[in-house]
Amino acid sequence: MEFLRPASWAEALELKAEYPDAVPIQGGTDVMVEINFDLRRPARLLDLNPVAELSRWSTTGGVLRVGAGMTYTSLIRELSADLPGLAQASRTVGSPQIRNRGSVGGNLGAASPAGDSHPPLLAADAEIEVESRARGSRLIPATAFYQGVKRSALAPDELIRAFHVAPATGPQYFSKIGTRNAMVIAVCSFAIALHPRRRAVGTGIGSAAPTPRRAGAAEEYIAAELDWDSRAALDPRVVARFGELVAQAASPIDDVRGTADYRRHALGVLARRTLTWAWHEHMRERTTT
Amino acid sequence: MTTVAARAVGTEADRVEGLEKVTGRARYAFEHPIEDMVYAAPVPSVVARGEVIAVDVAEALTFPGVIDVLWHGNAPKLERVGNAELHVLQSPRVAYRGQYIAVVIAKTLEEAREAALRVGVEYAVERHDVGLRADHPRLYRPERVNPDLPADVQQGDPDTALAAAPVTVDAVYRTPAEHNNPMEPHATVARWDAEGLTLYDSTQGATSLRDAVAPLFGIEPSSVRVIAPHVGGGFGAKGEPHPPVVLAALAARRTGRPVKLAVTRQQMFSVTGYRTPTIQRVRLGAHPDGHLTAIVHDAVEQSSTIHEFAEQTTTPTRIMYAAPNRRTTHRLVRLDVPTPSWMRAPGEAPGMFALESAMDELAAACGLDPIELRIRNEPEVDPETGLPFSSRNLVACLRDGARRFGWADRDPAPGVRRRGRLLIGTGVAASTYPVYRSACQATARAEPGGIFTVRIAAADIGTGARTVLTQIAADVLRVPLGRVRVAIGDSALPRASLAGGSSGTASWGTAVTRACEALRDELDRRGGTPSTGVTVSVDTTEENGEPSRFARHAFGAQFAEVGVDRDTGEARVRRLLGVFAVGRVLNPKTARSQFIGGMTMGLSMALLEESVLDREFGDYLNHDLAQYHVAACADVPAVEAYWVEESDPHLNPMGSKGIGEIGIVGTAAAVANAVHHATGIRVRDLPIRLDKLLT
């Protein structure tokens, strides 16, 4: 196995163009597990850790650009106010050691349906910045990024450079079901983001379909039902219907972590719960302004 | 001797090897530096039943670094003695998926693992049967159950009594297969030389491992030396010998070089034993006032086709409660699975989950407080043997626990306490564990400088055994702790029983006491320590052989408070409290660790642990720590352990009962009973997964 260590982003792209089979590695929290279990045996690893810019973030034109190598720990520390949904999800990832090493870029690269960062990225309309030496960079909406179990829209010669997302303009919440309180892969998870200016709602479903996905019908339904101006209390029937629509958007399976029926049920609960939290926060904000 | 020292027994002495461990100097099996070492990588069977018809080693042998590949066609022959699990690479038969088929020996671990993947194995596959069922046609009654108890016991006429009982409980409880996951996986370094075989091994018993391995190779036990100064947890998984240590010894024999073999976490799910799944039917007959008239407890469990391990699932029911009519049985079926073995409180832990859940159900049926129900059925003497108990303080544990836990004002109604979206409930269960003790030898030596050395082949698997034996020796010798050295973990030391059955301190401590007493007498006789020092030896075989006129058991009571999310079914333990009656507690610090460790493992058994069988392929799906969940620190917010004063002169010179296992016994039932109190849902099959708590 060859271990490639580019010193810069440009060099990384060069190497990826030359060796499209090279597997990028950042924290190693996924890649190393797969290698240890002999699930994959890449001819080359492309170590992105020396590319310092990947662990930084910036703001351009009101949009955050977050380097793919930023660890969960740094993200929680630096971006909790701007990306509350993603920060909440980040806090549930693995253990402190895993959060110190793992990154959202790695989560995207692995594209596991159980990855904790996907639902909040979907809910917040994030776009993934990928780049190749041959074709330059492009932005892929999160909705188009996930293409199958552990498959993404990333071309073989491309690397994930960053994700772009607008800072939250409304409440964002993430919730996850696990069998224990730490170091647990989601049985299912759900994220919601309210976009009051656009009068829109974003959602993300995790661990309950071959890919992370949005619950489109649920989003449209709730955006139309919410009383954005008066910020009136939620009608329980509307909340219930939202939960049903979210559950319907999933296509879960039975596995060792839970049954399909349980996942559908629990997603409905998570959807109702996070919507209620988000709307209460929305109402509170009005009271205080 | 004139030295007077403060008593060490009963104090919270720090671990004597603590500094060595926290600074990384303590050597575990895999860490012993040996020259000219090579590595072994096993080739496991990928079928659950059949015959190996061809092994192609040609490609593997071409790999760089590869020294040899062993399989049943070329492996050194072993004597057919003892447990057939240990007849490694002796036959083409495959008895379970994951069984060792071959082993590659190479200069590095990486080379060995790589080449192991290139060994071509051709199988004649046969249909396998890996499913335990209560109506399996091949169920049979084992002759004895572990460790050496009758399979079935009956008194009175339980069937008639059940039919006539005004109140009955008749329920089936299930516990899944569970796997021990000590921090340190099993590992061996094996070396042959002119003296014989040396094994650096992660074992719970140096003497017993030596005695098991020697006859396999047709050599005297004195030609085998087992060295295990430190062991990173065992819980029973390192008690009985398992195939890896034999494979390492075979590989070393064949290559003539020291061989290192470390079992991977995943392989532990095939070759180092596990807790058998159980299907248990419990029937209780009682008067409306709760007095039991009949207790019937029938267990169905499994073993492999090549070795019988019969777990003693229903044996605690023989001594727990008074009832004139009673029956306990064990039925076994031999499946195409690995052989089960010991896992902390084998038998008692799953058995008491069933009995103590049933008692909770009976309390509800009689409208009685579950503590009161247990007190009403407290036996005067051991119901099975009629012998008096040497001490039995279950009631004291229940009462003391109730007071500490705040049980008094408990509303028995299930499913009515809400805190936000949580349903809150509390539960109680009793626990018990038998008192075992085995014969040992020990030596004690006095040096002229006032230093004493006690030698015994005991094992410290993380329990604090080395420390407590030092305390015992210091007190008998009447010297401060710092003047006593205790050498353990080596079969070259005087023979000792293994760390199992919660019997270590009782067995080793007796020998240490007798050795130190003999040394003290010898020094008194001589009027001091001679310039060459003086050594005495003892053997407790005779003392240990005296039959006891008492039934000897430890008891305890566990209390749990749980919160169950009523929408998602997520159950979490909020508080866990145990009170134990275990004779004299010799070191409160290490004892507390044993109790809270056992209770934590019981919590884990209640909510998380389950080895999920893949029926199609015959192995366990969740064979790693990402998928086989054990409780994390965040799952155990508050766990408290206490003990009642108990003076029992009928045990051993220390007056102690074993404490390694009782903590897990009863805990799962306490949690399940609390979940019922919280939700009204009675979960009779562990673990209490979240999908079982949705209504």
Side-chain angles (χ1 to χ4, degrees):
Chain A
M1 190 183 297
E2 221 179 324
F3 196 68
L4 308 172
R5 297 205 88 198
S8 66
W9 179 248
E11 199 188 327
L13 290 179
E14 288 289 331
L15 288 167
K16 188 64 173 156
E18 199 174 335
Y19 307 108
D21 63 347
V23 173
I25 182 167
Q26 189 81 49
T29 59
D30 254 324
V31 172
M32 287 313 297
V33 173
E34 293 194 334
I35 290 173
N36 282 338
F37 285 1
D38 208 24
L39 296 177
R40 69 198 289 187
R41 198 177 274 218
R44 290 172 189 83
L45 288 178
L46 180 60
D47 179 18
L48 297 175
N49 284 285
V51 184
E53 66 158 271
L54 292 178
S55 54
R56 293 196 279 267
W57 61 272
S58 60
T59 313
T60 319
V63 174
L64 285 166
R65 178 170 180 267
V66 182
M70 203 163 160
T71 63
Y72 294 110
T73 299
S74 326
L75 196 144
I76 293 163
R77 195 170 52 231
E78 298 171 31
L79 291 170
S80 284
D82 283 334
L83 301 174
L86 186 58
Q88 285 167 30
S90 302
R91 288 189 192 99
T92 76
V93 172
S95 59
Q97 295 91 328
I98 297 291
R99 292 192 288 275
N100 285 339
R101 292 289 303 167
S103 62
V104 175
N107 221 211
L108 286 164
S112 158
D116 290 311
S117 54
H118 309 315
L121 289 175
L122 284 165
D125 301 302
E127 294 182 301
I128 319 302
E129 180 186 340
V130 304
E131 191 170 343
S132 65
R133 185 187 65 181
R135 297 178 308 286
S137 74
R138 61 179 177 131
L139 286 177
I140 309 172
T143 45
F145 185 79
Y146 311 107
Q147 297 201 331
V149 177
K150 302 200 170 187
R151 281 193 300 113
S152 74
L154 199 66
D157 64 343
E158 284 178 325
L159 291 171
I160 301 169
R161 187 169 196 177
F163 62 91
H164 296 233
V165 62
T169 55
Q172 297 184 351
Y173 283 92
F174 171 82
S175 192
K176 161 175 165 179
I177 305 263
T179 52
R180 63 181 172 188
N181 285 337
M183 295 193 293
V184 65
I185 307 169
V187 174
C188 60
S189 62
F190 183 73
I192 193 167
L194 301 193
H195 308 295
R197 289 178 203 162
R198 297 193 270 129
R199 302 192 169 198
V201 174
T203 61
I205 291 173
S207 240
T211 65
R213 59 167 67 158
R214 293 178 70 140
E219 293 177 6
E220 284 169 30
Y221 168 78
I222 198 66
E225 288 290 333
L226 289 174
D227 191 344
W228 294 97
D229 293 325
S230 80
R231 306 193 185 202
L234 285 166
D235 179 342
R237 285 168 302 179
V238 169
V239 179
R241 180 67 188 145
F242 177 68
E244 283 169 23
L245 289 169
V246 168
Q248 282 169 21
S251 18
I253 55 164
D254 292 340
D255 67 14
V256 295
R257 300 201 298 278
T259 63
D261 285 347
Y262 176 80
R263 287 190 160 98
R264 241 180 248 108
H265 166 86
L267 265 182
V269 174
L270 297 184
R272 298 198 300 269
R273 196 172 274 174
T274 52
L275 172 64
T276 307
W277 293 337
W279 192 251
H280 281 169
E281 185 183 322
H282 184 62
M283 287 163 70
R284 265 203 312 280
E285 269 168 22
R286 182 180 182 213
T287 328
T288 52
T289 45
Chain B
M1 287 195 300
T2 50
T3 318
V4 177
R7 303 284 290 177
V9 167
T11 67
E12 299 201 333
D14 288 334
R15 282 171 198 261
V16 293
E17 77 285 11
L19 190 62
E20 257 186 284
K21 281 186 172 168
V22 299
T23 54
R25 279 179 289 150
R27 284 228 166 90
Y28 292 81
F30 195 71
E31 299 171 334
H32 291 274
I34 312 275
E35 283 198 11
D36 205 26
M37 180 97 67
V38 294
Y39 294 82
V43 178
S45 165
V46 298
V47 306
R49 180 188 172 96
E51 193 139 328
V52 173
I53 51 176
V55 177
D56 182 358
V57 301
E59 190 192 353
L61 284 172
T62 66
F63 267 65
V66 171
I67 295 162
D68 208 345
V69 181
L70 268 69
W71 54 290
H72 71 263
N74 66 0
K77 291 297 161 236
L78 296 172
E79 303 292 326
R80 300 261 167 169
V81 288
N83 178 353
E85 277 275 9
L86 305 180
H87 302 157
V88 180
L89 307 188
Q90 301 297 299
S91 142
R93 290 296 307 168
V94 175
Y96 57 88
R97 192 181 167 103
Q99 191 176 16
Y100 291 155
I101 296 302
V103 62
V104 173
I105 302 116
K107 286 181 182 156
T108 68
L109 176 61
E110 291 76 12
E111 288 164 337
R113 285 183 67 172
E114 180 64 18
L117 294 170
R118 311 303 168 120
V119 174
V121 183
E122 210 177 307
Y123 301 91
V125 183
E126 297 163 23
R127 264 174 76 93
H128 62 254
D129 178 1
V130 295
L132 179 66
R133 320 196 310 258
D135 61 349
H136 200 290
R138 292 202 312 275
L139 285 180
Y140 72 98
R141 185 182 65 183
E143 286 289 315
R144 308 286 285 175
V145 297
N146 181 65
D148 186 20
L149 300 166
D152 295 2
V153 170
Q154 175 163 333
Q155 281 145 312
D157 182 353
D159 297 310
T160 305
L162 277 174
V167 185
T168 55
V169 169
D170 181 353
V172 174
Y173 303 87
R174 290 163 199 270
T175 59
E178 296 163 1
H179 280 81
N180 275 313
N181 273 285
M183 291 277 272
E184 180 205 21
H186 298 61
T188 304
V189 176
R191 184 184 59 198
W192 289 88
D193 56 24
E195 313 277 295
L197 172 64
T198 303
L199 297 167
Y200 297 87
D201 193 75
S202 186
T203 177
Q204 294 178 219
T207 306
S208 57
L209 180 60
R210 176 194 69 182
D211 291 352
V213 169
L216 287 167
F217 289 90
I219 55 179
E220 290 301 313
S222 58
S223 299
V224 177
R225 183 167 173 200
V226 176
I227 300 172
H230 301 290
V231 177
F235 309 107
K238 297 168 182 172
E240 294 193 304
H242 296 294
V245 63
V246 181
L247 189 67
L250 264 185
R253 176 103 179 195
R254 164 87 173 193
T255 55
R257 296 181 59 176
V259 169
K260 209 176 224 196
L261 188 154
V263 181
T264 65
R265 183 67 61 183
Q266 290 186 327
Q267 289 163 1
M268 283 178 65
F269 283 77
S270 306
V271 292
T272 60
Y274 60 101
R275 196 194 288 288
T276 176
T278 69
I279 304 168
Q280 303 175 54
R281 184 177 180 196
V282 180
R283 281 170 285 176
L284 304 176
H287 294 296
D289 68 359
H291 280 105
L292 287 161
T293 56
I295 306 175
V296 177
H297 190 169
D298 303 304
V300 171
E301 47 192 70
Q302 72 188 32
S303 191
S304 69
T305 58
I306 52 173
H307 183 64
E308 180 185 88
F309 176 81
E311 186 163 301
Q312 68 274 39
T313 312
T314 70
T315 57
T317 302
R318 294 174 185 167
I319 59 108
M320 278 306 292
Y321 301 113
N325 305 288
R326 45 203 308 133
R327 183 168 64 232
T328 47
T329 71
H330 298 84
R331 295 293 176 270
L332 210 57
V333 60
R334 309 290 282 272
L335 299 171
D336 304 310
V337 296
T339 311
S341 183
W342 304 332
M343 182 166 178
R344 208 172 198 167
E348 285 83 9
M352 286 290 277
F353 163 68
L355 179 67
E356 290 299 292
S357 294
M359 287 297 282
D360 203 60
E361 300 203 46
L362 181 64
C366 295
L368 267 180
D369 181 85
I371 292 177
E372 178 59 25
L373 174 70
R374 288 172 173 87
I375 292 171
R376 285 187 190 181
N377 288 292
E378 178 73 0
E380 299 269 313
V381 294
D382 174 7
E384 183 190 1
T385 60
L387 292 174
F389 286 100
S390 65
S391 56
R392 176 171 167 129
N393 284 298
L394 172 58
V395 172
C397 292
L398 287 163
R399 290 202 165 121
D400 188 53
R403 180 181 62 79
R404 292 175 184 276
F405 189 76
W407 185 264
D409 302 320
R410 179 178 183 263
D411 172 4
V416 296
R417 283 151 303 276
R418 290 199 169 180
R419 199 162 305 161
R421 60 183 200 239
L422 292 183
L423 293 164
I424 307 291
T426 52
V428 65
S431 58
T432 187
Y433 197 84
V435 169
Y436 294 119
R437 189 172 67 155
S438 300
C440 296
Q441 299 172 351
T443 63
R445 176 172 174 77
E447 303 289 349
I451 295 295
F452 299 87
T453 307
V454 177
R455 295 155 58 86
I456 180 167
D460 191 328
I461 61 172
T463 53
R466 191 181 268 107
T467 307
V468 83
L469 294 180
T470 308
Q471 292 174 272
I472 291 167
D475 280 6
V476 177
L477 294 167
R478 300 180 189 134
V479 300
L481 270 184
R483 286 176 46 196
V484 179
R485 308 272 178 274
V486 173
I488 62 169
D490 188 335
S491 68
L493 297 167
R495 65 173 301 122
S497 57
L498 52 71
S502 296
S503 69
T505 301
S507 309
W508 311 324
T510 298
V512 168
T513 298
R514 299 306 176 217
C516 291
E517 285 170 353
L519 180 62
R520 206 178 58 199
D521 291 349
E522 182 67 18
L523 294 177
D524 284 347
R525 203 173 57 77
R526 292 177 181 239
T529 308
S531 60
T532 51
V534 60
T535 303
V536 300
S537 307
V538 296
D539 186 324
T540 63
T541 304
E542 197 177 324
E543 176 177 2
N544 201 66
E546 293 162 14
S548 179
R549 293 171 291 108
F550 296 92
R552 298 179 294 184
H553 302 265
F555 292 91
Q558 281 103 339
F559 295 76
E561 178 184 322
V562 303
V564 179
D565 187 307
R566 64 190 159 94
D567 299 316
T568 64
E570 289 164 292
R572 298 291 191 264
V573 172
R574 296 156 61 90
R575 282 198 294 151
L576 208 50
L577 186 151
V579 180
F580 301 94
V582 290
R584 183 160 165 231
V585 169
L586 306 181
N587 181 328
K589 183 187 285 184
T590 49
R592 183 175 175 278
S593 294
Q594 286 298 306
F595 293 132
I596 66 172
M599 289 165 72
T600 300
M601 207 162 163
L603 179 163
S604 199
M605 173 183 177
L607 298 182
L608 299 169
E609 294 193 41
E610 175 179 26
S611 302
V612 180
L613 185 74
D614 182 332
R615 292 205 172 209
E616 189 179 342
F617 295 104
D619 67 346
Y620 292 105
L621 283 168
N622 52 340
H623 54 189
D624 57 57
L625 290 174
Q627 300 179 89
Y628 183 94
H629 283 178
V630 297
C633 287
D635 297 307
V636 192
V639 54
E640 300 168 61
Y642 304 94
W643 43 90
V644 298
E645 287 295 318
E646 186 175 83
S647 178
D648 186 335
H650 309 296
L651 302 169
N652 56 52
M654 293 78 61
S656 62
K657 296 176 180 174
I659 57 173
E661 289 161 279
I662 193 168
I664 190 175
V665 180
T667 300
V671 172
N673 294 342
V675 165
H676 175 261
H677 188 231
T679 62
I681 299 171
R682 176 69 63 182
V683 178
R684 298 189 182 89
D685 57 329
L686 294 183
I688 304 170
R689 284 166 52 136
L690 18 80
D691 49 330
K692 295 175 186 172
L693 295 179
L694 292 186
T695 41

